[in-house]
Amino acid sequence: MALGLSASPPVVVLLLSLLGLAAAGKLLVVPVDGSRWLSMWEVLDMLQQKGHEVVVVAPEVSLRIKTSKNFVMKMYSVPYTEEDLKKEFQAFFHFSFEQGSFLERFVKAYQGIKRITDFGVSSCRHLLQNKELIRYLEKNKFDAVLTDPVLLCGAILAKHLSIPAVYFLRGIPCGLDFDATQCPRPLSYVPRGFTQLTDHMSFLQRVKNLLHDIPDIFLCDFAFQPYSKLASEFLQQDVAVLDLLRQASVWLLRSDFVLEYPRPLMPNMIPVGGVNCAHKELSQSKVARKAQFAADRAEVALAT
């Protein structure tokens, strides 16, 4: 199992030493709305303070993504309203806290993810069809794309622009992050979603863990295949979902082993801690330190 940076001080020293060699770069950011954006915003603020030019591409209709003096915002039109978006997000999050049998939760997850996916794919299609914006992105020589791969529009743009992709994520449904990085995911101690299992399982619990992989195949198919079709049309070549995910240079994982079960990591997967919303009850210094750490890792990607 690959060690986290906190367990490998020489690696940390090496990465930090590269920061002095990093010239100010130009970063293209394709965010995901909601709490994922609030987490990313903290990192972008740190990168801007370090002298990097940050350009954020976002839809005109969003819940949390707003303009800022710390970066350039490029917006594009979408065919839905803020009320439509808010309604679907609220319904999806409400489901996340509901109880019930596995079958009931699976059906509700299918319905919720399908609706959210439709919004994401529609937004991405309108971005890729915006010829003026695409020409702007092509003319500006970006050094990297920072995006959350739970929606694959940023990954499509990274492939189109032939620049490195840095993924900043909490996780991807169906374990696609494991598949894309060829990272082991042992059934013996890595619990699957919705199982309510821990990393200590009996034989029957491991069988249950195995069975929960089966519906994931269907969830991934309808949730991510539309992006494969969209990418193939835009790039004019056959592109699979895993092809888009595998192009990542660095995976910045918003996870913390203090709160999560142990899992293997690959060399380009770096836990940056729970860089989450800056809640008023949290120490601002702690939030800032986590954001600073994530920004340093992103800056290394820009330098290399």
Side-chain angles (χ1 to χ4, degrees):
M1 181 174 71
L3 295 177
L5 288 180
S6 59
S8 183
V11 176
V12 177
V13 173
L14 176 60
L15 287 175
L16 291 177
S17 67
L18 292 175
L19 297 180
L21 303 176
K26 183 178 291 187
L27 183 67
L28 173 62
V29 180
V30 185
V32 174
D33 203 1
S35 62
R36 295 172 181 269
W37 162 250
L38 297 178
S39 302
M40 185 178 284
W41 183 88
E42 296 282 342
V43 177
L44 299 184
D45 186 51
M46 292 290 180
L47 287 170
Q48 189 275 335
Q49 292 178 26
K50 289 174 170 288
H52 297 286
E53 182 180 347
V54 178
V55 177
V56 177
V57 174
E60 290 179 344
V61 176
S62 65
L63 300 179
R64 296 292 183 181
I65 303 175
K66 308 300 180 183
T67 58
S68 170
K69 63 180 181 180
N70 294 331
F71 48 77
V72 176
M73 177 74 80
K74 293 292 182 180
M75 310 192 84
Y76 57 93
S77 61
V78 288
Y80 50 80
T81 66
E82 183 175 341
E83 188 63 29
D84 295 333
L85 193 61
K86 184 180 297 184
K87 179 181 178 181
E88 290 303 332
F89 266 99
Q90 288 176 343
F92 182 75
F93 290 134
H94 179 71
F95 139 75
S96 302
F97 294 98
E98 289 184 356
Q99 300 296 320
S101 67
F102 169 74
L103 182 59
E104 291 173 333
R105 286 181 291 147
F106 176 78
V107 172
K108 290 181 179 179
Y110 177 94
Q111 296 170 340
I113 294 174
K114 178 66 169 63
R115 291 193 296 268
I116 294 296
T117 298
D118 290 342
F119 277 96
V121 172
S122 175
S123 174
C124 186
R125 179 177 292 109
H126 280 73
L127 167 57
L128 300 179
Q129 291 177 349
N130 191 320
K131 295 182 179 179
E132 181 179 352
L133 180 53
I134 294 299
R135 282 196 298 268
Y136 167 85
L137 299 179
E138 292 170 343
K139 290 179 180 179
N140 285 266
K141 304 298 182 180
F142 291 99
D143 296 293
V145 171
L146 177 65
T147 188
D148 188 327
V150 73
L151 300 182
L152 288 169
C153 210
I156 296 173
L157 284 177
K159 191 171 184 65
H160 174 67
L161 299 173
S162 299
I163 55 178
V166 179
Y167 290 160
F168 183 76
L169 70 156
R170 180 63 180 79
I172 306 179
C174 316
L176 287 179
D177 46 341
F178 289 88
D179 295 337
T181 56
Q182 296 184 320
C183 184
R185 189 166 61 139
L187 289 162
S188 57
Y189 73 90
V190 178
R192 289 356 184 204
F194 299 115
T195 61
Q196 298 181 337
L197 297 173
T198 71
D199 55 327
H200 295 283
M201 292 177 271
S202 65
F203 173 75
L204 291 179
Q205 287 174 327
R206 292 174 186 174
V207 172
K208 176 183 177 181
N209 205 35
L210 171 64
L211 295 176
H212 272 68
D213 266 349
I214 298 175
D216 277 357
I217 299 174
F218 302 100
L219 285 174
C220 281
D221 184 60
F222 82 81
F224 289 96
Q225 283 308 118
Y227 287 101
S228 175
K229 181 179 179 181
L230 194 59
S232 298
E233 293 173 353
F234 179 69
L235 300 171
Q236 297 184 345
Q237 58 178 288
D238 291 335
V239 180
V241 170
L242 288 180
D243 293 333
L244 295 171
L245 292 173
R246 285 170 181 155
Q247 66 184 335
S249 299
V250 179
W251 296 69
L252 300 178
L253 305 179
R254 293 191 295 107
S255 58
D256 192 327
F257 282 169
V258 173
L259 302 175
E260 311 213 17
Y261 299 123
R263 50 163 286 186
L265 293 176
M266 299 303 279
N268 65 337
M269 302 174 76
I270 305 174
V272 296
V275 186
N276 296 304
C277 309
H279 194 278
K280 62 181 179 180
E281 295 181 0
L282 294 178
S283 166
Q284 290 300 312
S285 61
K286 291 182 179 179
V287 173
R289 285 198 298 270
K290 289 182 177 181
Q292 179 69 64
F293 183 76
D296 288 346
R297 305 284 78 74
E299 191 173 29
V300 170
L302 281 170
T304 55

